[in-house]
Amino acid sequence: MTTRDPATLPDMAVTVDRTAPSPTLDVVIPVYNEETDLERCVQRLHEHLAGSTPYSFRITIADNASTDTTLAVARRLAETIDTVRAVHLDQKGRGRALNAVWRKSDAEVVCYMDVDLSTDLNALMPLVAPLLSGHSDIAIGSRLSRSARVVRGTKREFISRSYNLILRTAMHARFSDAQCGFKAIRTDVARRLLPLVEDTGWFFDTEMLVLAERVGLRIAEIPVDWVDDPNSKVDIVKTATADLKGCWRVARALGSGDLPITELRQSIGRDPLEGPEVTGVPRGMVGHLVRFAIIGVASTVAFALLFLALHPLVGAQVANFLALLITAVLNTWANRAFTFGVRGSEGAAKHQIQGVAIFLFGWAISAVALYVLHTGYPHADKHIDVVVLVTANLVATVVRFVSLRWVFRRHLAAETVTTKITAPETETSR
């Protein structure tokens, strides 16, 4: 993953270059072919902000390559309402538009909401208040909070909750709703964090939040009232597929240590408060088991395929050894990155050596099982070999899980505090 330099941000055409003082709040509405709903949305939003916001504000319409009259509508609104400006980008992409506008904004806090205004606007002040006070760095609206009130179909509800379950399991995410189109961020934080965000579409939100957590930023979650727009233009299947691909890309970048997470954590992250630790409680055991099981299933399938492919060439015992060795290396890497969340290259060689030692123990179990099988049934075919070896490997898997928790014990020990309470921002810690 490469970072973007500010000079490479998309060029933005702004209709009105105002000389007014910088606003406290910049509300961005990313739009693509929204000529029908845009004017009504902006007028309603402006009326709400003018009547209930104690801060100076601006509404920025971020048109990303619309092919209808959306841009013309946006420019007309900018000419008639003092606190509205229109920005045009030549390339399509909601994430691209937000990344560019947020990083170039002169406001103290930037936020965005979808043009359909599905989220109740009364949640806007609670959204930005933690950022303006310095309490938090990012704020998100959550439709999955217990106190949220949501009206939407079963299909979208299932997809949303499934996606967030994937994020919590595979990415160790702690936020509850990555996809709600209602988020805010301090602009100084955006300028440091967003150069790392690569996605230009709908996965932009998730990528930003995952990186924010890894950097050590505080994310405030605000329960919202949300009513689904039946005329939404979002392609659910296409978006879900792109999101899963994005998860894989970000997880791979985090696992390889390609991102400067440590440097950002030291410069803009929040340090945990000093305090007593809760000892004797295995932290994250359920999540570890789930991720270990997923990787274990994939490893077992890979082992079986490798064994069947190698068996005719080198025989059962050698095929078993080679298949186990290959899958053990990949298994150790995957569990290191995804199950136990160990990032970067530090200690990787040591972990692989320890993984090979665990592999040798598992291989011994399977080799003995294979020997016993061939002694009692010398004419057993390779498919029976697979069944016996998979059974033996199930026993070895239990040992592997306990052993890997020992291998990564230092990383787990660093996370034994059940809840991290972060310190307020100070000049020395920022």
Side-chain angles (χ1 to χ4, degrees):
M1 181 180 293
T2 57
T3 60
R4 296 191 187 95
D5 185 88
T8 65
L9 285 173
D11 290 332
M12 299 187 299
V14 185
T15 58
V16 180
D17 184 15
R18 303 191 186 281
T19 58
S22 300
T24 301
L25 177 64
D26 193 352
V27 183
V28 181
I29 305 175
V31 291
Y32 174 75
N33 289 350
E34 297 288 355
E35 60 183 2
T36 303
D37 299 325
L38 180 58
E39 184 169 2
R40 173 182 55 82
C41 160
V42 171
Q43 289 177 344
R44 178 183 165 196
L45 176 60
H46 179 266
E47 180 181 351
H48 176 84
L49 290 171
S52 62
T53 306
Y55 317 109
S56 59
F57 66 87
R58 178 175 62 216
I59 300 172
T60 299
I61 305 168
D63 172 60
N64 50 107
S66 291
T67 57
D68 60 4
T69 62
T70 295
L71 181 57
V73 175
R75 286 173 172 167
R76 185 174 69 249
L77 289 167
E79 292 294 339
T80 56
I81 304 177
D82 288 340
T83 53
V84 174
R85 70 168 178 167
V87 172
H88 174 70
L89 294 90
D90 291 331
Q91 292 177 287
K92 182 181 177 183
R94 168 179 162 279
R96 176 183 284 109
L98 289 174
N99 200 322
V101 175
W102 276 3
R103 288 166 64 185
K104 289 186 175 182
S105 178
D106 58 346
E108 183 177 347
V109 168
V110 288
C111 69
Y112 93 90
M113 58 186 64
D114 293 331
V115 69
D116 57 18
L117 297 184
S118 294
T119 304
D120 182 10
L121 293 177
N122 288 321
L124 183 57
M125 283 302 97
L127 184 77
V128 302
L131 310 184
L132 292 170
S133 68
H135 173 273
S136 300
D137 306 297
I138 298 176
I140 65 174
S142 176
R143 299 163 297 183
L144 302 183
S145 171
R146 292 190 177 184
S147 57
R149 298 188 299 176
V150 177
V151 178
R152 63 175 167 181
T154 304
K155 179 180 178 180
R156 292 181 72 106
E157 180 76 8
F158 174 78
I159 291 175
S160 180
R161 291 189 178 276
S162 297
Y163 179 61
N164 281 281
L165 177 62
I166 291 172
L167 289 178
R168 286 177 173 269
T169 302
M171 306 289 289
H172 297 208
R174 297 175 185 173
F175 48 85
S176 67
D177 192 352
Q179 296 170 311
C180 182
F182 196 68
K183 295 180 175 69
I185 184 172
R186 289 200 350 249
T187 310
D188 61 322
V189 172
R191 294 193 186 106
R192 299 294 305 278
L193 181 67
L194 296 188
L196 299 179
V197 179
E198 191 172 298
D199 190 79
T200 59
W202 292 93
F203 185 69
F204 168 85
D205 304 58
T206 301
E207 187 170 355
M208 176 185 70
L209 293 174
V210 169
L211 296 181
E213 281 196 336
R214 297 305 169 89
V215 166
L217 299 177
R218 175 180 280 165
I219 301 174
E221 296 196 29
I222 310 301
V224 298
D225 296 343
W226 192 86
V227 179
D228 187 19
D229 179 9
N231 298 317
S232 174
K233 300 176 183 178
V234 178
D235 186 328
I236 297 178
V237 175
K238 182 178 179 181
T239 301
T241 302
D243 286 346
L244 293 177
K245 290 180 179 178
C247 286
W248 169 251
R249 173 177 55 78
V250 172
R252 185 175 56 186
L254 289 170
S256 64
D258 289 341
L259 294 167
I261 298 299
T262 301
E263 292 83 349
L264 277 179
R265 177 180 286 273
Q266 292 173 349
S267 61
I268 64 174
R270 294 172 181 260
D271 296 327
L273 291 175
E274 296 295 333
E277 295 186 352
V278 179
T279 59
V281 180
R283 184 182 185 277
M285 176 69 81
V286 175
H288 292 161
L289 282 171
V290 172
R291 290 185 288 274
F292 181 82
I294 293 173
I295 294 171
V297 170
S299 298
T300 301
V301 172
F303 165 80
L305 294 175
L306 284 170
F307 178 83
L308 291 174
L310 294 170
H311 185 282
L313 303 176
V314 295
Q317 287 286 11
V318 177
N320 173 49
F321 181 86
L322 293 176
L324 273 177
L325 178 60
I326 294 171
T327 54
V329 172
L330 296 175
N331 185 281
T332 300
W333 172 82
N335 278 303
R336 181 179 189 271
F338 302 117
T339 301
F340 300 103
V342 181
R343 311 298 176 187
S345 58
E346 184 179 356
K350 179 182 177 180
H351 294 155
Q352 282 293 353
I353 292 173
Q354 292 170 324
V356 169
I358 297 170
F359 143 74
L360 289 174
F361 179 81
W363 167 74
I365 295 176
S366 61
V368 170
L370 202 59
Y371 174 78
V372 172
L373 171 67
H374 287 173
T375 300
Y377 303 93
H379 302 295
D381 66 19
K382 62 182 180 181
H383 297 93
I384 296 178
D385 289 346
V386 170
V387 173
V388 171
L389 289 173
V390 168
T391 302
N393 284 334
L394 289 176
V395 177
T397 295
V398 177
V399 177
R400 185 181 299 116
F401 178 74
V402 176
S403 301
L404 286 175
R405 282 185 65 88
W406 176 82
V407 168
F408 301 115
R409 62 192 182 282
R410 290 185 179 179
H411 176 75
L412 296 177
E415 298 183 345
T416 52
V417 180
T418 57
T419 304
K420 289 185 177 181
I421 306 176
T422 56
E425 179 179 332
T426 65
E427 291 299 322
T428 57
S429 66
R430 301 297 295 176

